Amino acid sequence: MNNLVLEVADQIAVLKISRPAALNALNSETLDELNEVLTEIEGRDDIKVVILTGGADKKGNEFKSFVAGADIAEMVNFTAAEARAFGMKASVPFFKLMNMRQVTIAAVNGFALGGGCEIAMACDIRIASDNATFAQPECGLGIIPGFGGTQRLARLVGMGRAKEMIFTCDNIDANEAYRIGLVNKVVAKEELMDSAKAMANKIISKGSYAVSIAKAAINNGYDMDIQNAVEMEANLFGITCSTHDKAEGMGAFLERRAADLTDF
Ligand code: CO8
């Protein structure tokens, strides 16, 4: 891979988007590589959480940029058809981040602009370093957020705030992103990866199969009517009751001992 670095240890995959010369902007090659590596990760039982972050800039600053957007140099001459294809190319790995059985955490270490904010929003959880900056600057470039931003931002922060961010293109800092619900947590930049790994380890200590089913229940039910959503949840609840982890988790509680949860 030319633009990604994958490190796996202790059931956590740290996936770094690394294009130092372009502040990790997403070009077609990076999107293809993301799709490939996420497909591989989905098939691996030794990975339970994926932490997505940005690599250092060309001066070695690790907290300059998470992802500074889609690659403007690639997009500048797009025809309408090419632009559509580029958007669809991004949607495949973005939906993988959203729907894969592993939990995905964006550790946002600097600029999360345009497509950078959009890829963070495709993850299950976002933790921002205190120097992170978020924005949807696309309307200032004469385009719209096209990597899911017009849809995911409104779902995360509500329609009014999403419209304000998209129409004004204003930058917001990490604390404002936390205040409006765009990120789950803000930490000192030096603590970003430790904080993301601590959350990952807490999630890993739970029943991994149950966590992956809960993720599917939340995602699938979100756009359903409440009656059908709760029925879908009951069906998934039934499935978790046939697992080793359910017998072990409940048995351990009744026997007053620590549970040994193993299922994926
Ligand atoms: N694309 C391409 N190259 C970029 C990008 C980008 N998004 N961002 C930065 N770079 C490059 C710069 O061109 C520069 O390259 P070089 O050194 O060769 O001149 C290098 O990265 C360093 O950048 P700067 O010198 O500009 O660094 P600064 O510290 O001065 O500024 C900023 C940092 C503020 C982040 C600035 O680089 C910037 O404003 N970048 C663009 C941010 C932006 O507008 N992002 C949104 C892009 S549009 C988008 O994401 C659309 C997504 C949906 C697409 C849907 C298609 C269907």
Side-chain angles (χ1 to χ4, degrees), residues 13 20 31 49 75 160 190 219 241:
L31 294 171
V49 175
M75 292 187 295
E190 299 77 15
N219 283 346
C241 282

Side-chain angles (χ1 to χ4, degrees), residues 21-23 25 58 64 68-72 83 86-87 114-115 118 138 141 146-147:
L23 301 182
K58 57 188 173 190
K64 170 89 177 188
D71 192 307
I72 298 172
F86 189 57
E118 291 171 291
E138 286 91 342
L141 297 165
F147 284 171

Side-chain angles (χ1 to χ4, degrees), residues 95 117 218 236 251:
F95 274 120
C117 188
I218 295 165
L236 292 177

Side-chain angles (χ1 to χ4, degrees), residues 59-78:
K59 292 182 187 151
N61 182 352
E62 284 178 36
F63 297 98
K64 170 89 177 188
S65 182
F66 171 68
V67 171
D71 192 307
I72 298 172
E74 180 173 350
M75 292 187 295
V76 65
N77 291 320
F78 272 172

Side-chain angles (χ1 to χ4, degrees), residues 72-145:
I72 298 172
E74 180 173 350
M75 292 187 295
V76 65
N77 291 320
F78 272 172
T79 62
E82 286 165 344
R84 183 182 186 281
F86 189 57
M88 297 315 289
K89 183 191 281 294
S91 80
V92 179
F94 281 33
F95 274 120
K96 283 207 165 108
L97 287 166
M98 183 178 163
N99 292 322
M100 65 201 293
R101 62 191 178 140
Q102 290 93 344
V103 171
T104 55
I105 299 175
V108 180
N109 56 322
F111 288 117
L113 307 177
C117 188
E118 291 171 291
I119 196 169
M121 289 193 288
C123 294
D124 297 317
I125 291 164
R126 284 149 293 286
I127 302 179
S129 60
D130 53 7
N131 71 317
T133 300
F134 297 80
Q136 295 293 161
E138 286 91 342
C139 287
L141 297 165
I143 56 172
I144 64 167

